[in-house]
Amino acid sequence: MSVDYLLHESPVGFGIFALKMQSDTVGARLKEVQDAHTDLGRFGKMVQLVSFAPFQGASQALENANDVSEGIMSEYLRTVLESNLPTTTGKKAKNKVVLGVGDRNLAGSIKQAFPGIECETGETSELVADLLRGLRLHAEKLLKGLQTGDVSRAQLGLGHAYSRAKVKFSVQKNDNHII
Amino acid sequence: MGAKGGQRVVIEPHRHPGVFVARGKEDLLVTKNLTPGEAVYGEKRISVETPTAVSGDGAVNGDTAPVATKTEYRVWNPFRSKLAAGILGGLEDIHMKPGSKVLYLGAASGTSVSHVADIVGPTGTVFAVEFSHRSGRDLINMATHRTNVIPIIEDARHPLKYRMLVSMVDCIFADVAQPDQARIVGLNAHQFLKVGGGVVVSIKANCIDSTAAPEAVFAREVVKLREERIKPKEQLTLEPFERDHAMVVGVYQRSSS
């Protein structure tokens, strides 16, 4: 199945990319095909940014990170998908749109909410896995309005917030002893 | 602290960029402390004065005395860190250097991670994954002082859960001591490791299969890594620092040709 769109979940926001050039699945493991994903110049010709929806602050980022981690489609992601993917219901319905998503669970949640969207994940299609790897590698250059260091700063903040919530870490106490 | 009684210690760069050797009464493996004045786990620190080169042909203009800046190094104990043991054992390539991005699986309390953070320096990043909450707290604590460490309290078996927190990395270091560790490393490599990136895995034979001979276990693990498209480059035992441990270094090749 060919892929039309890709979803990239970055610590700064969601990015939706359209696939301009379909490479066939047969040669996915060839060295030339692989190199195309590593080279920004060539990869930039394969995908095109449709929309970048940044998070409004750290708390929203954390909520979305938690949802993405659990495979739940957050309200924010829902609106982002709704406004950026072509409508597939109603009279104007075209063929189904195929969206490349990283995780199977999230793909399931998206399919449930949008009947017109088919999902391919990195597990079902090596092509999607490769494309998502490319997006991860070049995210900072492909997402508009970002500067170098933005993604890593967001990762640092989000990593701390996410992990602290996991272990119920508080800065005041060294540890919560159970006596 | 520092070298006992202020004896002369000379710092020499190690073959691996970012790693140093302190030559004093005995030779010690050290890394340049990213947070001078602070020890992470009570390790020894060594301060060395490095006279800064005065601009021009010499300090003739009397008022600018050569300023000596102090650089602090932290002693890296090979009995406590498998990576240090591997370096002393003579690993050819550790795939991490100043500026590298490293995904560290099995970060524990972050003692070894702090040395990796020293190696990659302020321009590099260490993504430290640890599942245990108890050691995770220590890891987060350590990371608050070192901004190039990103703590991730999550199961390394499910890299998709932390895909928003990690970018593409140059190297994966794994010290997870799980029976399925080759699979864990593979999953993370497919997700986050650059093509041609390095994989450094510490294998504890007992944790994989306690009934088979260690050599047989290591050989089997290398085969499993190969199946995950990781081409093994070198293997070495961690004697005399650890018993029945091996360090395997490989390179990730995504294309099959």
Side-chain angles (χ1 to χ4, degrees):
Chain A
M1 200 192 305
S2 64
V3 184
D4 308 311
Y5 292 93
L6 291 165
L7 172 67
H8 175 67
E9 309 100 341
S10 86
V12 280
F14 293 117
I16 302 218
F17 292 86
L19 213 59
K20 286 194 290 184
M21 240 166 39
Q22 297 282 352
S23 48
D24 52 346
T25 12
V26 184
R29 280 207 183 184
L30 286 178
K31 196 164 187 318
E32 296 81 65
V33 181
Q34 293 291 336
D35 286 347
H37 292 116
T38 342
D39 180 29
L40 177 62
R42 283 158 76 189
F43 188 73
K45 291 199 184 86
M46 291 166 70
V47 296
Q48 186 181 30
L49 181 68
V50 176
S51 162
F52 169 53
F55 296 131
Q56 317 290 337
S59 57
Q60 193 192 13
L62 178 60
E63 277 168 34
N64 279 283
N66 282 328
D67 284 348
V68 163
S69 155
E70 295 301 322
I72 303 164
M73 182 177 59
S74 63
E75 270 309 304
Y76 187 57
L77 179 56
R78 188 197 180 91
T79 40
V80 171
L81 290 175
E82 218 161 34
S83 50
N84 290 299
L85 295 182
T87 44
T88 47
T89 45
K91 277 180 189 163
K92 282 190 284 181
K94 298 187 297 173
N95 297 330
K96 284 196 168 183
V97 171
V98 182
L99 177 70
V101 191
D103 173 29
R104 186 176 43 186
N105 296 332
L106 184 61
S109 318
I110 292 175
K111 263 192 280 192
Q112 225 170 28
F114 298 99
I117 296 179
E118 271 300 316
C119 285
E120 284 275 320
T121 64
E123 289 160 63
T124 56
S125 142
E126 194 149 325
L127 184 71
V128 170
D130 275 329
L131 289 167
L132 290 176
R133 278 172 60 91
L135 287 183
R136 191 183 297 283
L137 187 63
H138 304 300
E140 225 160 36
K141 307 268 164 44
L142 293 173
L143 295 174
K144 291 226 168 59
L146 284 192
Q147 281 161 353
T148 22
D150 278 358
V151 169
S152 43
R153 262 196 301 279
Q155 276 169 344
L156 179 62
L158 193 56
H160 270 280
Y162 181 84
S163 299
R164 284 179 184 203
K166 278 265 148 119
V167 300
K168 300 180 182 67
F169 183 90
S170 71
V171 207
Q172 285 82 31
K173 290 174 204 151
N174 261 337
D175 211 333
N176 301 315
H177 289 287
I178 304 158
I179 306 167
Chain B
M1 249 185 273
K4 277 175 219 132
Q7 51 180 232
R8 300 291 303 157
V9 176
V10 181
I11 301 284
E12 285 174 13
H14 193 272
R15 191 161 47 86
H16 302 300
V19 184
F20 298 87
V21 179
R23 297 207 187 279
K25 204 169 169 190
E26 49 185 347
D27 291 354
L28 296 164
L29 197 66
V30 297
T31 55
K32 194 189 271 181
N33 195 353
L34 203 63
T35 55
E38 253 178 67
V40 173
Y41 52 103
E43 74 281 17
K44 276 206 170 127
R45 286 170 287 142
I46 300 173
S47 263
V48 185
E49 282 191 9
T50 39
T52 36
V54 182
S55 56
D57 280 318
V60 208
N61 44 341
D63 52 347
T64 49
V67 197
T69 47
K70 281 208 162 185
T71 317
E72 195 175 83
Y73 295 86
R74 297 189 304 129
V75 175
W76 198 1
N77 185 348
F79 287 97
R80 292 194 58 171
S81 168
K82 277 152 208 151
L83 183 55
I87 290 173
L88 285 183
L91 281 177
E92 195 59 46
D93 195 349
I94 55 170
H95 295 282
M96 34 185 112
K97 57 173 193 284
S100 293
K101 287 194 169 114
V102 178
L103 178 60
Y104 196 117
L105 306 176
S109 301
T111 53
S112 287
V113 178
S114 69
H115 286 286
V116 175
D118 283 352
I119 293 176
V120 302
T123 52
T125 313
V126 185
F127 301 93
V129 183
E130 171 60 42
F131 193 34
S132 151
H133 287 194
R134 182 178 284 260
S135 26
R137 286 203 187 90
D138 296 337
L139 176 66
I140 294 173
N141 233 342
M142 188 275 291
T144 50
H145 302 273
R146 289 163 182 265
T147 49
N148 62 352
V149 178
I150 296 175
I152 299 170
I153 310 301
E154 194 58 83
D155 191 347
R157 275 190 192 85
H158 306 294
L160 285 174
K161 286 202 166 204
Y162 48 82
R163 67 182 183 278
M164 273 179 80
L165 307 174
V166 182
S167 43
M168 292 304 269
V169 298
D170 305 292
C171 172
I172 292 184
F173 178 85
D175 183 12
V176 283
Q178 295 291 322
D180 58 338
Q181 65 173 9
R183 201 184 124 254
I184 296 177
V185 171
L187 285 172
N188 281 279
H190 298 324
Q191 200 67 232
F192 304 119
L193 187 56
K194 285 179 189 165
V195 172
V199 175
V200 183
V201 190
S202 153
I203 302 168
K204 182 180 178 183
N206 254 335
C207 287
I208 314 280
D209 184 346
S210 53
T211 58
E215 290 71 30
V217 175
F218 300 149
R220 274 210 307 262
E221 288 305 297
V222 169
V223 171
K224 283 188 212 162
L225 286 176
R226 241 184 237 283
E227 285 163 7
E228 299 288 353
R229 301 195 226 170
I230 295 159
K231 191 178 183 190
K233 292 282 183 190
E234 49 182 323
Q235 177 184 340
L236 113 164
T237 60
L238 294 186
E239 301 282 351
F241 306 109
E242 305 272 355
R243 185 186 275 176
D244 292 343
H245 274 67
M247 200 74 129
V248 174
V249 180
V251 168
Y252 184 58
Q253 290 181 322
R254 210 168 154 76
S255 56
S256 54
S257 52

